[in-house]
Amino acid sequence: MIRLTLTPLAEQDLEAIGDYIAADNPIRAVSFIRELRAQCPRIAANPPGYRLRPELGDDIRSSAYGNYVISFVASPEEITIIRILHGAPDIPAILTPGDSVQ
């Protein structure tokens, strides 16, 4: 079975997303973070089914979920979720090549 991991930055992203949503709707914040987390095993089930994003770095793929973009790298043994960011900002400017190994 393929291993699924989230980088510390991806975990921080989830916390920030939850905090932002919770300011207006704490119940929705909890459910939306669950939804984002549930998308990660779906990614792991079919990583090649998601778009390659060469502008973000070597071998980085992404999955859209609502207004958010889940960036990840895949190997035969592991899926690593690099970042989970709102799709509106300039993601290439935020995501640096070093993020893929942290």
Side-chain angles (χ1 to χ4, degrees):
M1 178 176 219
I2 196 161
R3 186 174 62 213
L4 175 65
T5 61
L6 279 77
T7 64
L9 282 173
E11 291 287 358
Q12 290 173 12
D13 293 337
L14 284 172
E15 187 173 330
I17 293 164
D19 290 346
Y20 179 78
I21 296 170
D24 290 327
N25 189 339
I27 294 170
R28 180 61 182 139
V30 171
S31 66
F32 189 70
I33 296 305
R34 282 187 189 140
E35 291 171 21
L36 282 172
R37 285 189 179 277
Q39 181 64 16
C40 296
R42 290 185 200 113
I43 291 168
N46 183 27
Y50 295 91
R51 185 175 143 208
L52 273 170
R53 300 289 302 268
E55 74 277 15
L56 300 179
D58 293 339
D59 301 320
I60 294 179
R61 294 180 179 271
S62 69
S63 168
Y65 189 86
N67 292 329
Y68 291 85
V69 177
I70 301 170
S71 300
F72 66 96
V73 292
S75 73
E77 301 83 28
E78 181 176 30
I79 303 297
T80 303
I81 306 298
I82 301 168
R83 299 294 304 262
I84 303 171
L85 300 169
H86 194 277
D90 182 8
I91 292 175
I94 296 170
L95 188 70
T96 63
D99 287 344
S100 64
V101 294
Q102 294 179 3

